Amino acid sequence: MIMFKKLLIATALCASFSAMADDSFTLKVKGVENGKFQNKHLLSAEYGFGCAGENISPEIEWKNAPKGTKSFVLTVYDKDAPTGLGWVHWEVVNIPANVSKLPAGIDAKDNNLPKGALQTRTDFGVPGYGGACPPENEKHRYEFTLTALKVEQLPNVTADSTPALVGFFTNANAIAKAQVTVETAR
């Protein structure tokens, strides 16, 4: 009987851990092929970095935001950029808590952006998505990080805010983060 109770408890614990694993805060970048960006997601020629993509933002989905989430921040960061600091390709702040995806094709004029959300300045110097464009013959890792926040809006953040300021207020109000890395070579 004691052995049966131990087995029953062990089974219940395993089921609980399994359920917890299925409920983890996760992020997915849709439209990447074999973990790599499609040409349409790469930086367009007018930026002058040598890429000829279409500069179209990919679709982003997430699930299982933690309890208490009041908004989200999405950051796309190239940790391998040859700057010594990396390169912020996209930041979207104040994404409402009831939103669970960003559609493809959000542009610099905020078309397709969820109501209430705001794109802030990137390392390109302007708000909006700036596609991947690693130097020739190099592979770069682009980290998509979705941060769940305990506030509805980041304080003191406007469309012209720098990535460092956005990062400071994001981390100061973070509950949890979900992350996906997309590697791309040219």
Side-chain angles (χ1 to χ4, degrees):
M1 184 65 149
I2 293 174
M3 187 62 117
F4 177 73
K5 286 182 182 179
K6 286 182 179 178
L7 180 60
L8 190 57
I9 290 169
T11 303
L13 285 173
C14 285
S16 294
F17 289 131
S18 176
M20 287 187 333
D22 293 340
D23 292 340
S24 61
F25 183 35
T26 59
L27 176 66
K28 184 175 184 180
V29 179
K30 298 186 88 179
V32 295
E33 297 173 353
N34 300 318
K36 296 181 182 359
F37 290 109
Q38 295 178 38
N39 189 64
K40 67 183 178 181
H41 301 133
L42 298 179
L43 194 63
S44 54
E46 65 261 17
Y47 282 83
F49 285 84
C51 286
E54 298 172 42
N55 208 43
I56 296 174
S57 66
E59 181 178 341
I60 314 291
E61 286 186 351
W62 57 92
K63 64 180 181 176
N64 302 322
K67 186 176 180 179
T69 299
K70 294 187 178 176
S71 68
F72 300 97
V73 170
L74 175 73
T75 301
V76 179
Y77 172 72
D78 174 2
K79 66 189 314 173
D80 300 312
T83 64
L85 301 170
W87 191 274
V88 174
H89 282 257
W90 196 24
E91 288 192 308
V92 183
V93 305
N94 304 337
I95 302 168
N98 65 344
V99 171
S100 61
K101 79 176 190 176
L102 295 176
I106 295 174
D107 63 20
K109 294 180 182 176
D110 296 338
N111 290 318
N112 295 326
L113 191 66
K115 185 175 178 154
L118 173 71
Q119 296 183 94
T120 60
R121 188 164 34 139
T122 66
D123 285 327
F124 291 105
V126 295
Y129 176 79
C133 185
E136 295 247 3
N137 303 314
E138 287 187 25
K139 184 190 301 184
H140 281 216
R141 296 167 289 172
Y142 298 86
E143 294 179 342
F144 286 73
T145 304
L146 185 73
T147 306
L149 302 178
K150 61 185 175 184
V151 295
E152 288 182 16
Q153 292 189 342
L154 289 180
N156 306 314
V157 171
T158 67
D160 197 42
S161 294
T162 64
L165 183 70
V166 171
F168 175 81
F169 284 114
T170 297
N171 289 320
N173 291 288
I175 296 173
K177 295 182 180 191
Q179 192 172 66
V180 171
T181 300
V182 178
E183 291 186 1
T184 292
R186 197 163 65 98

